[in-house]
PDB file of all heavy atoms in Angstrom:
ATOM      1  N   ASP A 265      23.853 218.263 151.915  1.00  0.00           N
ATOM      2  CA  ASP A 265      22.400 218.372 151.945  1.00  0.00           C
ATOM      3  C   ASP A 265      21.796 217.759 150.681  1.00  0.00           C
ATOM      4  O   ASP A 265      22.509 217.343 149.770  1.00  0.00           O
ATOM      5  CB  ASP A 265      21.959 219.829 152.161  1.00  0.00           C
ATOM      6  CG  ASP A 265      22.316 220.725 150.993  1.00  0.00           C
ATOM      7  OD1 ASP A 265      22.530 220.210 149.883  1.00  0.00           O
ATOM      8  OD2 ASP A 265      22.397 221.946 151.199  1.00  0.00           O
ATOM      9  N   ALA A 266      20.468 217.705 150.656  1.00  0.00           N
ATOM     10  CA  ALA A 266      19.767 216.993 149.590  1.00  0.00           C
ATOM     11  C   ALA A 266      20.136 217.542 148.209  1.00  0.00           C
ATOM     12  O   ALA A 266      20.390 216.776 147.271  1.00  0.00           O
ATOM     13  CB  ALA A 266      18.262 217.096 149.806  1.00  0.00           C
ATOM     14  N   THR A 308      14.447 210.602 151.065  1.00  0.00           N
ATOM     15  CA  THR A 308      13.167 209.959 150.749  1.00  0.00           C
ATOM     16  C   THR A 308      12.807 210.289 149.304  1.00  0.00           C
ATOM     17  O   THR A 308      13.324 211.231 148.707  1.00  0.00           O
ATOM     18  CB  THR A 308      12.036 210.476 151.645  1.00  0.00           C
ATOM     19  OG1 THR A 308      11.929 211.891 151.460  1.00  0.00           O
ATOM     20  CG2 THR A 308      12.306 210.183 153.103  1.00  0.00           C
ATOM     21  N   THR A 311      11.704 213.891 148.757  1.00  0.00           N
ATOM     22  CA  THR A 311      12.787 214.866 148.705  1.00  0.00           C
ATOM     23  C   THR A 311      13.484 214.820 147.347  1.00  0.00           C
ATOM     24  O   THR A 311      13.797 215.868 146.762  1.00  0.00           O
ATOM     25  CB  THR A 311      13.796 214.598 149.837  1.00  0.00           C
ATOM     26  OG1 THR A 311      13.121 214.715 151.073  1.00  0.00           O
ATOM     27  CG2 THR A 311      14.950 215.576 149.802  1.00  0.00           C
ATOM     28  N   ARG A 314      11.233 216.558 144.856  1.00  0.00           N
ATOM     29  CA  ARG A 314      11.241 218.014 145.031  1.00  0.00           C
ATOM     30  C   ARG A 314      12.537 218.636 144.536  1.00  0.00           C
ATOM     31  O   ARG A 314      12.531 219.685 143.894  1.00  0.00           O
ATOM     32  CB  ARG A 314      11.032 218.364 146.502  1.00  0.00           C
ATOM     33  CG  ARG A 314       9.573 218.302 146.914  1.00  0.00           C
ATOM     34  CD  ARG A 314       9.400 218.830 148.336  1.00  0.00           C
ATOM     35  NE  ARG A 314       8.992 217.777 149.230  1.00  0.00           N
ATOM     36  CZ  ARG A 314       7.714 217.456 149.473  1.00  0.00           C
ATOM     37  NH1 ARG A 314       6.736 218.111 148.873  1.00  0.00           N
ATOM     38  NH2 ARG A 314       7.409 216.491 150.299  1.00  0.00           N
TER      39      ARG A 314
ATOM     40  P    DG D 211      18.068 219.211 153.034  1.00  0.00           P
ATOM     41  OP1  DG D 211      19.400 218.592 152.875  1.00  0.00           O
ATOM     42  OP2  DG D 211      17.443 219.947 151.928  1.00  0.00           O
ATOM     43  O5'  DG D 211      17.061 218.068 153.519  1.00  0.00           O
ATOM     44  C5'  DG D 211      17.405 217.337 154.678  1.00  0.00           C
ATOM     45  C4'  DG D 211      16.217 216.557 155.172  1.00  0.00           C
ATOM     46  O4'  DG D 211      15.207 217.450 155.688  1.00  0.00           O
ATOM     47  C3'  DG D 211      15.503 215.685 154.135  1.00  0.00           C
ATOM     48  O3'  DG D 211      15.235 214.453 154.770  1.00  0.00           O
ATOM     49  C2'  DG D 211      14.229 216.472 153.852  1.00  0.00           C
ATOM     50  C1'  DG D 211      13.942 217.012 155.238  1.00  0.00           C
ATOM     51  N9   DG D 211      13.016 218.137 155.313  1.00  0.00           N
ATOM     52  C8   DG D 211      12.903 219.184 154.439  1.00  0.00           C
ATOM     53  N7   DG D 211      11.966 220.034 154.783  1.00  0.00           N
ATOM     54  C5   DG D 211      11.438 219.508 155.954  1.00  0.00           C
ATOM     55  C6   DG D 211      10.392 219.982 156.784  1.00  0.00           C
ATOM     56  O6   DG D 211       9.703 221.012 156.649  1.00  0.00           O
ATOM     57  N1   DG D 211      10.177 219.152 157.875  1.00  0.00           N
ATOM     58  C2   DG D 211      10.881 217.998 158.135  1.00  0.00           C
ATOM     59  N2   DG D 211      10.540 217.316 159.222  1.00  0.00           N
ATOM     60  N3   DG D 211      11.855 217.539 157.362  1.00  0.00           N
ATOM     61  C4   DG D 211      12.073 218.343 156.298  1.00  0.00           C
ATOM     62  P    DA D 212      14.664 213.150 154.086  1.00  0.00           P
ATOM     63  OP1  DA D 212      15.739 212.151 154.060  1.00  0.00           O
ATOM     64  OP2  DA D 212      13.940 213.530 152.853  1.00  0.00           O
ATOM     65  O5'  DA D 212      13.588 212.666 155.169  1.00  0.00           O
ATOM     66  C5'  DA D 212      14.008 212.501 156.519  1.00  0.00           C
ATOM     67  C4'  DA D 212      12.799 212.320 157.412  1.00  0.00           C
ATOM     68  O4'  DA D 212      12.058 213.554 157.476  1.00  0.00           O
ATOM     69  C3'  DA D 212      11.826 211.251 156.939  1.00  0.00           C
ATOM     70  O3'  DA D 212      11.420 210.464 158.053  1.00  0.00           O
ATOM     71  C2'  DA D 212      10.669 212.039 156.325  1.00  0.00           C
ATOM     72  C1'  DA D 212      10.724 213.366 157.077  1.00  0.00           C
ATOM     73  N9   DA D 212      10.370 214.515 156.227  1.00  0.00           N
ATOM     74  C8   DA D 212      10.984 214.920 155.073  1.00  0.00           C
ATOM     75  N7   DA D 212      10.458 216.000 154.536  1.00  0.00           N
ATOM     76  C5   DA D 212       9.427 216.332 155.410  1.00  0.00           C
ATOM     77  C6   DA D 212       8.485 217.379 155.399  1.00  0.00           C
ATOM     78  N6   DA D 212       8.423 218.334 154.460  1.00  0.00           N
ATOM     79  N1   DA D 212       7.587 217.409 156.408  1.00  0.00           N
ATOM     80  C2   DA D 212       7.644 216.458 157.356  1.00  0.00           C
ATOM     81  N3   DA D 212       8.480 215.426 157.472  1.00  0.00           N
ATOM     82  C4   DA D 212       9.362 215.428 156.449  1.00  0.00           C
ATOM     83  P    DT D 213      10.508 209.195 157.880  1.00  0.00           P
ATOM     84  OP1  DT D 213      10.804 208.331 159.032  1.00  0.00           O
ATOM     85  OP2  DT D 213      10.638 208.700 156.494  1.00  0.00           O
ATOM     86  O5'  DT D 213       9.029 209.769 158.025  1.00  0.00           O
ATOM     87  C5'  DT D 213       8.698 210.529 159.177  1.00  0.00           C
ATOM     88  C4'  DT D 213       7.293 211.048 159.027  1.00  0.00           C
ATOM     89  O4'  DT D 213       7.294 212.182 158.125  1.00  0.00           O
ATOM     90  C3'  DT D 213       6.290 210.042 158.454  1.00  0.00           C
ATOM     91  O3'  DT D 213       5.211 209.954 159.360  1.00  0.00           O
ATOM     92  C2'  DT D 213       5.886 210.641 157.109  1.00  0.00           C
ATOM     93  C1'  DT D 213       6.113 212.129 157.356  1.00  0.00           C
ATOM     94  N1   DT D 213       6.377 212.979 156.163  1.00  0.00           N
ATOM     95  C2   DT D 213       5.627 214.119 155.996  1.00  0.00           C
ATOM     96  O2   DT D 213       4.738 214.451 156.761  1.00  0.00           O
ATOM     97  N3   DT D 213       5.940 214.853 154.884  1.00  0.00           N
ATOM     98  C4   DT D 213       6.915 214.579 153.946  1.00  0.00           C
ATOM     99  O4   DT D 213       7.115 215.330 152.997  1.00  0.00           O
ATOM    100  C5   DT D 213       7.667 213.371 154.180  1.00  0.00           C
ATOM    101  C7   DT D 213       8.751 212.980 153.226  1.00  0.00           C
ATOM    102  C6   DT D 213       7.363 212.644 155.261  1.00  0.00           C
ATOM    103  P    DC D 214       4.067 208.827 159.183  1.00  0.00           P
ATOM    104  OP1  DC D 214       3.719 208.373 160.550  1.00  0.00           O
ATOM    105  OP2  DC D 214       4.481 207.871 158.153  1.00  0.00           O
ATOM    106  O5'  DC D 214       2.830 209.672 158.609  1.00  0.00           O
ATOM    107  C5'  DC D 214       2.426 210.860 159.295  1.00  0.00           C
ATOM    108  C4'  DC D 214       1.376 211.580 158.477  1.00  0.00           C
ATOM    109  O4'  DC D 214       2.018 212.319 157.405  1.00  0.00           O
ATOM    110  C3'  DC D 214       0.340 210.673 157.811  1.00  0.00           C
ATOM    111  O3'  DC D 214      -0.932 211.275 157.963  1.00  0.00           O
ATOM    112  C2'  DC D 214       0.786 210.653 156.349  1.00  0.00           C
ATOM    113  C1'  DC D 214       1.319 212.082 156.207  1.00  0.00           C
ATOM    114  N1   DC D 214       2.262 212.299 155.081  1.00  0.00           N
ATOM    115  C2   DC D 214       2.156 213.479 154.334  1.00  0.00           C
ATOM    116  O2   DC D 214       1.283 214.294 154.622  1.00  0.00           O
ATOM    117  N3   DC D 214       3.015 213.685 153.316  1.00  0.00           N
ATOM    118  C4   DC D 214       3.940 212.775 153.034  1.00  0.00           C
ATOM    119  N4   DC D 214       4.779 213.022 152.021  1.00  0.00           N
ATOM    120  C5   DC D 214       4.070 211.560 153.784  1.00  0.00           C
ATOM    121  C6   DC D 214       3.209 211.367 154.797  1.00  0.00           C
ATOM    122  P    DA D 215      -2.265 210.507 157.462  1.00  0.00           P
ATOM    123  OP1  DA D 215      -3.324 210.859 158.437  1.00  0.00           O
ATOM    124  OP2  DA D 215      -1.954 209.099 157.160  1.00  0.00           O
ATOM    125  O5'  DA D 215      -2.586 211.247 156.089  1.00  0.00           O
ATOM    126  C5'  DA D 215      -2.755 212.667 156.074  1.00  0.00           C
ATOM    127  C4'  DA D 215      -3.033 213.114 154.665  1.00  0.00           C
ATOM    128  O4'  DA D 215      -1.786 213.199 153.930  1.00  0.00           O
ATOM    129  C3'  DA D 215      -3.951 212.194 153.856  1.00  0.00           C
ATOM    130  O3'  DA D 215      -4.989 212.972 153.295  1.00  0.00           O
ATOM    131  C2'  DA D 215      -3.022 211.587 152.819  1.00  0.00           C
ATOM    132  C1'  DA D 215      -2.020 212.728 152.632  1.00  0.00           C
ATOM    133  N9   DA D 215      -0.740 212.366 152.049  1.00  0.00           N
ATOM    134  C8   DA D 215       0.052 211.286 152.342  1.00  0.00           C
ATOM    135  N7   DA D 215       1.155 211.227 151.632  1.00  0.00           N
ATOM    136  C5   DA D 215       1.093 212.345 150.818  1.00  0.00           C
ATOM    137  C6   DA D 215       1.961 212.860 149.837  1.00  0.00           C
ATOM    138  N6   DA D 215       3.114 212.283 149.502  1.00  0.00           N
ATOM    139  N1   DA D 215       1.586 214.003 149.215  1.00  0.00           N
ATOM    140  C2   DA D 215       0.432 214.581 149.554  1.00  0.00           C
ATOM    141  N3   DA D 215      -0.463 214.188 150.466  1.00  0.00           N
ATOM    142  C4   DA D 215      -0.065 213.052 151.066  1.00  0.00           C
TER     143       DA D 215
END
Side-chain angles (χ1 to χ4, degrees):
Chain A
D265 66 21
T308 59
T311 300
R314 280 187 247 270

